[in-house]
Amino acid sequence: MDNTQKTSKKKLSFSFKQNMFAYLLLLPSFIFLSLFTFYPTLKSIHLSFYSGPMTRLQFSGLDQYKEVFTDEIFKKVMMNNIIFIIGTVPTSLFLAMYLAIWLNKKMKGSALLRTSFFYPTVIPLIAVANIWLFIYTPQYGLLAKFLQAFGENGPNWLGNQSTVMIAMIIMIIWKDTGFFMIFYLAGLQNLPKDVYEAAIMEGAKPFQIFRHITFPLLMPTTLFVMIVAITNAFKNVDHLYIMTKGGPDNASNLLLYHIYEAAFTNWDLGKAAVLTVVLIVVLLSITAFNYLFLDKKIHY
């Protein structure tokens, strides 16, 4: 009995030391998270119950939330973000997977092609915005000159409410696809080769191999990439400052840029805090749904 108790105490002591060592290793990261993530989040929640100019904030309770949720601009911005996600995420993931499968094959020039497709990711979004601003410029832009060669006059892509969001979506797809392609390439190179050999011996066709082997085994990668893509759809708004300022008539305005306008153009910190809380809740909800619901349906 004494030996059993001694063994049990040794195990508990060893486990405690291991846990303490792990917590000590995590402590620096936790300090940074607390200072630059948890504290600003709590501060934003606190500020969301106040209204007025920055120098004269007054407690308003839930009035600020009611004002934001009944604001027509806020509704339009949220709808823009939904359209932006639907337009960019599925297309970017599909193209990234297609390019990864194509470039995963052994062929001449594959390294150069991978670099070429990944290159837009390296360019800062501000620089990308300037490049595409030149492409979309009416009459003198690259796209306008291309259409003029066929006797067509293209629309004012960034000045028309019906085309501005399409123009933004195309630009972001061009920038993000190469980034997601790298994750799919890494995922493809870790797939078991014996499964493919067995499928080929059984006479499976390329599409059948993709549908029943490649696509299911890439689902963990797809889940991760999808979360990153959705987050980027809320986060990538630097281009709006250069290209449209959210216009025309808020047709290209997105939630994060709307927060920036409320905080640093109108100096309405209370409204900006409410919008920030909305953004945090939306992102947490999407991430929780993906990891708590979709993650259980994925084979690892």
PDB file of all heavy atoms in Angstrom, residues 7-24:
ATOM      1  N   THR A   7       4.282   5.726  -5.440  1.00  0.00           N
ATOM      2  CA  THR A   7       4.252   5.769  -6.912  1.00  0.00           C
ATOM      3  C   THR A   7       3.263   6.821  -7.396  1.00  0.00           C
ATOM      4  O   THR A   7       3.530   7.578  -8.333  1.00  0.00           O
ATOM      5  CB  THR A   7       3.860   4.390  -7.479  1.00  0.00           C
ATOM      6  OG1 THR A   7       4.740   3.410  -6.960  1.00  0.00           O
ATOM      7  CG2 THR A   7       3.928   4.397  -9.002  1.00  0.00           C
ATOM      8  N   SER A   8       2.100   6.837  -6.713  1.00  0.00           N
ATOM      9  CA  SER A   8       1.059   7.808  -7.086  1.00  0.00           C
ATOM     10  C   SER A   8       1.530   9.235  -6.855  1.00  0.00           C
ATOM     11  O   SER A   8       1.301  10.128  -7.679  1.00  0.00           O
ATOM     12  CB  SER A   8      -0.211   7.528  -6.275  1.00  0.00           C
ATOM     13  OG  SER A   8      -1.201   8.468  -6.564  1.00  0.00           O
ATOM     14  N   LYS A   9       2.215   9.467  -5.729  1.00  0.00           N
ATOM     15  CA  LYS A   9       2.735  10.808  -5.418  1.00  0.00           C
ATOM     16  C   LYS A   9       3.800  11.237  -6.435  1.00  0.00           C
ATOM     17  O   LYS A   9       3.854  12.388  -6.842  1.00  0.00           O
ATOM     18  CB  LYS A   9       3.322  10.822  -3.999  1.00  0.00           C
ATOM     19  CG  LYS A   9       2.264  10.835  -2.910  1.00  0.00           C
ATOM     20  CD  LYS A   9       2.907  10.842  -1.536  1.00  0.00           C
ATOM     21  CE  LYS A   9       1.850  10.855  -0.438  1.00  0.00           C
ATOM     22  NZ  LYS A   9       2.462  10.826   0.911  1.00  0.00           N
ATOM     23  N   LYS A  10       4.659  10.261  -6.832  1.00  0.00           N
ATOM     24  CA  LYS A  10       5.697  10.570  -7.819  1.00  0.00           C
ATOM     25  C   LYS A  10       5.080  10.964  -9.150  1.00  0.00           C
ATOM     26  O   LYS A  10       5.533  11.905  -9.820  1.00  0.00           O
ATOM     27  CB  LYS A  10       6.609   9.358  -8.002  1.00  0.00           C
ATOM     28  CG  LYS A  10       7.598   9.148  -6.870  1.00  0.00           C
ATOM     29  CD  LYS A  10       8.478   7.934  -7.137  1.00  0.00           C
ATOM     30  CE  LYS A  10       9.472   7.722  -5.981  1.00  0.00           C
ATOM     31  NZ  LYS A  10      10.310   6.517  -6.225  1.00  0.00           N
ATOM     32  N   LYS A  11       4.016  10.254  -9.545  1.00  0.00           N
ATOM     33  CA  LYS A  11       3.339  10.557 -10.805  1.00  0.00           C
ATOM     34  C   LYS A  11       2.703  11.941 -10.765  1.00  0.00           C
ATOM     35  O   LYS A  11       2.788  12.713 -11.726  1.00  0.00           O
ATOM     36  CB  LYS A  11       2.266   9.507 -11.096  1.00  0.00           C
ATOM     37  CG  LYS A  11       2.824   8.176 -11.570  1.00  0.00           C
ATOM     38  CD  LYS A  11       1.696   7.193 -11.874  1.00  0.00           C
ATOM     39  CE  LYS A  11       2.260   5.866 -12.371  1.00  0.00           C
ATOM     40  NZ  LYS A  11       1.177   4.887 -12.658  1.00  0.00           N
ATOM     41  N   LEU A  12       2.062  12.250  -9.615  1.00  0.00           N
ATOM     42  CA  LEU A  12       1.441  13.572  -9.466  1.00  0.00           C
ATOM     43  C   LEU A  12       2.484  14.675  -9.493  1.00  0.00           C
ATOM     44  O   LEU A  12       2.275  15.723 -10.105  1.00  0.00           O
ATOM     45  CB  LEU A  12       0.650  13.625  -8.147  1.00  0.00           C
ATOM     46  CG  LEU A  12      -0.677  12.873  -8.119  1.00  0.00           C
ATOM     47  CD1 LEU A  12      -1.227  12.828  -6.692  1.00  0.00           C
ATOM     48  CD2 LEU A  12      -1.691  13.565  -9.047  1.00  0.00           C
ATOM     49  N   SER A  13       3.621  14.441  -8.817  1.00  0.00           N
ATOM     50  CA  SER A  13       4.692  15.427  -8.786  1.00  0.00           C
ATOM     51  C   SER A  13       5.264  15.654 -10.187  1.00  0.00           C
ATOM     52  O   SER A  13       5.495  16.787 -10.602  1.00  0.00           O
ATOM     53  CB  SER A  13       5.797  14.948  -7.838  1.00  0.00           C
ATOM     54  OG  SER A  13       6.879  15.844  -7.862  1.00  0.00           O
ATOM     55  N   PHE A  14       5.469  14.535 -10.921  1.00  0.00           N
ATOM     56  CA  PHE A  14       6.007  14.639 -12.281  1.00  0.00           C
ATOM     57  C   PHE A  14       5.026  15.373 -13.196  1.00  0.00           C
ATOM     58  O   PHE A  14       5.420  16.224 -13.995  1.00  0.00           O
ATOM     59  CB  PHE A  14       6.286  13.226 -12.809  1.00  0.00           C
ATOM     60  CG  PHE A  14       6.816  13.208 -14.213  1.00  0.00           C
ATOM     61  CD1 PHE A  14       8.113  13.614 -14.482  1.00  0.00           C
ATOM     62  CD2 PHE A  14       6.006  12.795 -15.266  1.00  0.00           C
ATOM     63  CE1 PHE A  14       8.604  13.607 -15.779  1.00  0.00           C
ATOM     64  CE2 PHE A  14       6.490  12.792 -16.560  1.00  0.00           C
ATOM     65  CZ  PHE A  14       7.793  13.192 -16.821  1.00  0.00           C
ATOM     66  N   SER A  15       3.741  15.040 -13.047  1.00  0.00           N
ATOM     67  CA  SER A  15       2.699  15.686 -13.862  1.00  0.00           C
ATOM     68  C   SER A  15       2.625  17.178 -13.549  1.00  0.00           C
ATOM     69  O   SER A  15       2.492  18.001 -14.465  1.00  0.00           O
ATOM     70  CB  SER A  15       1.350  15.020 -13.594  1.00  0.00           C
ATOM     71  OG  SER A  15       0.321  15.674 -14.293  1.00  0.00           O
ATOM     72  N   PHE A  16       2.714  17.532 -12.272  1.00  0.00           N
ATOM     73  CA  PHE A  16       2.662  18.941 -11.865  1.00  0.00           C
ATOM     74  C   PHE A  16       3.857  19.711 -12.443  1.00  0.00           C
ATOM     75  O   PHE A  16       3.696  20.823 -12.954  1.00  0.00           O
ATOM     76  CB  PHE A  16       2.664  19.031 -10.336  1.00  0.00           C
ATOM     77  CG  PHE A  16       2.683  20.444  -9.820  1.00  0.00           C
ATOM     78  CD1 PHE A  16       1.538  21.234  -9.860  1.00  0.00           C
ATOM     79  CD2 PHE A  16       3.860  21.003  -9.308  1.00  0.00           C
ATOM     80  CE1 PHE A  16       1.555  22.536  -9.386  1.00  0.00           C
ATOM     81  CE2 PHE A  16       3.886  22.295  -8.853  1.00  0.00           C
ATOM     82  CZ  PHE A  16       2.725  23.069  -8.878  1.00  0.00           C
ATOM     83  N   LYS A  17       5.044  19.106 -12.388  1.00  0.00           N
ATOM     84  CA  LYS A  17       6.246  19.755 -12.918  1.00  0.00           C
ATOM     85  C   LYS A  17       6.132  19.962 -14.433  1.00  0.00           C
ATOM     86  O   LYS A  17       6.513  21.003 -14.969  1.00  0.00           O
ATOM     87  CB  LYS A  17       7.481  18.921 -12.596  1.00  0.00           C
ATOM     88  CG  LYS A  17       7.907  18.989 -11.139  1.00  0.00           C
ATOM     89  CD  LYS A  17       9.112  18.108 -10.887  1.00  0.00           C
ATOM     90  CE  LYS A  17       9.531  18.162  -9.413  1.00  0.00           C
ATOM     91  NZ  LYS A  17      10.680  17.266  -9.129  1.00  0.00           N
ATOM     92  N   GLN A  18       5.593  18.936 -15.118  1.00  0.00           N
ATOM     93  CA  GLN A  18       5.402  19.046 -16.568  1.00  0.00           C
ATOM     94  C   GLN A  18       4.442  20.187 -16.906  1.00  0.00           C
ATOM     95  O   GLN A  18       4.690  20.988 -17.812  1.00  0.00           O
ATOM     96  CB  GLN A  18       4.850  17.736 -17.140  1.00  0.00           C
ATOM     97  CG  GLN A  18       5.923  16.747 -17.566  1.00  0.00           C
ATOM     98  CD  GLN A  18       5.328  15.643 -18.408  1.00  0.00           C
ATOM     99  OE1 GLN A  18       4.199  15.224 -18.191  1.00  0.00           O
ATOM    100  NE2 GLN A  18       6.090  15.152 -19.380  1.00  0.00           N
ATOM    101  N   ASN A  19       3.330  20.236 -16.167  1.00  0.00           N
ATOM    102  CA  ASN A  19       2.325  21.275 -16.421  1.00  0.00           C
ATOM    103  C   ASN A  19       2.896  22.667 -16.144  1.00  0.00           C
ATOM    104  O   ASN A  19       2.663  23.601 -16.913  1.00  0.00           O
ATOM    105  CB  ASN A  19       1.080  21.043 -15.564  1.00  0.00           C
ATOM    106  CG  ASN A  19       0.276  19.853 -16.039  1.00  0.00           C
ATOM    107  OD1 ASN A  19       0.363  19.468 -17.200  1.00  0.00           O
ATOM    108  ND2 ASN A  19      -0.494  19.256 -15.145  1.00  0.00           N
ATOM    109  N   MET A  20       3.626  22.787 -15.036  1.00  0.00           N
ATOM    110  CA  MET A  20       4.214  24.081 -14.688  1.00  0.00           C
ATOM    111  C   MET A  20       5.222  24.531 -15.747  1.00  0.00           C
ATOM    112  O   MET A  20       5.272  25.704 -16.117  1.00  0.00           O
ATOM    113  CB  MET A  20       4.908  24.007 -13.318  1.00  0.00           C
ATOM    114  CG  MET A  20       3.944  24.015 -12.133  1.00  0.00           C
ATOM    115  SD  MET A  20       2.851  25.460 -12.123  1.00  0.00           S
ATOM    116  CE  MET A  20       4.045  26.780 -11.933  1.00  0.00           C
ATOM    117  N   PHE A  21       6.002  23.580 -16.254  1.00  0.00           N
ATOM    118  CA  PHE A  21       6.983  23.900 -17.290  1.00  0.00           C
ATOM    119  C   PHE A  21       6.266  24.363 -18.567  1.00  0.00           C
ATOM    120  O   PHE A  21       6.678  25.326 -19.218  1.00  0.00           O
ATOM    121  CB  PHE A  21       7.851  22.665 -17.578  1.00  0.00           C
ATOM    122  CG  PHE A  21       8.920  22.918 -18.606  1.00  0.00           C
ATOM    123  CD1 PHE A  21       9.974  23.785 -18.330  1.00  0.00           C
ATOM    124  CD2 PHE A  21       8.872  22.295 -19.847  1.00  0.00           C
ATOM    125  CE1 PHE A  21      10.958  24.036 -19.272  1.00  0.00           C
ATOM    126  CE2 PHE A  21       9.851  22.541 -20.797  1.00  0.00           C
ATOM    127  CZ  PHE A  21      10.898  23.413 -20.503  1.00  0.00           C
ATOM    128  N   ALA A  22       5.166  23.685 -18.899  1.00  0.00           N
ATOM    129  CA  ALA A  22       4.372  24.062 -20.084  1.00  0.00           C
ATOM    130  C   ALA A  22       3.784  25.457 -19.907  1.00  0.00           C
ATOM    131  O   ALA A  22       3.812  26.275 -20.834  1.00  0.00           O
ATOM    132  CB  ALA A  22       3.269  23.040 -20.318  1.00  0.00           C
ATOM    133  N   TYR A  23       3.244  25.738 -18.706  1.00  0.00           N
ATOM    134  CA  TYR A  23       2.649  27.056 -18.440  1.00  0.00           C
ATOM    135  C   TYR A  23       3.702  28.162 -18.497  1.00  0.00           C
ATOM    136  O   TYR A  23       3.426  29.275 -18.976  1.00  0.00           O
ATOM    137  CB  TYR A  23       1.955  27.068 -17.075  1.00  0.00           C
ATOM    138  CG  TYR A  23       0.660  26.289 -17.039  1.00  0.00           C
ATOM    139  CD1 TYR A  23       0.380  25.401 -16.002  1.00  0.00           C
ATOM    140  CD2 TYR A  23      -0.285  26.443 -18.052  1.00  0.00           C
ATOM    141  CE1 TYR A  23      -0.804  24.679 -15.974  1.00  0.00           C
ATOM    142  CE2 TYR A  23      -1.467  25.722 -18.030  1.00  0.00           C
ATOM    143  CZ  TYR A  23      -1.725  24.842 -16.993  1.00  0.00           C
ATOM    144  OH  TYR A  23      -2.891  24.140 -16.974  1.00  0.00           O
ATOM    145  N   LEU A  24       4.915  27.858 -18.018  1.00  0.00           N
ATOM    146  CA  LEU A  24       6.004  28.847 -18.077  1.00  0.00           C
ATOM    147  C   LEU A  24       6.396  29.156 -19.526  1.00  0.00           C
ATOM    148  O   LEU A  24       6.697  30.303 -19.870  1.00  0.00           O
ATOM    149  CB  LEU A  24       7.225  28.333 -17.310  1.00  0.00           C
ATOM    150  CG  LEU A  24       7.109  28.381 -15.778  1.00  0.00           C
ATOM    151  CD1 LEU A  24       8.290  27.666 -15.134  1.00  0.00           C
ATOM    152  CD2 LEU A  24       7.044  29.830 -15.286  1.00  0.00           C
TER     153      LEU A  24
END
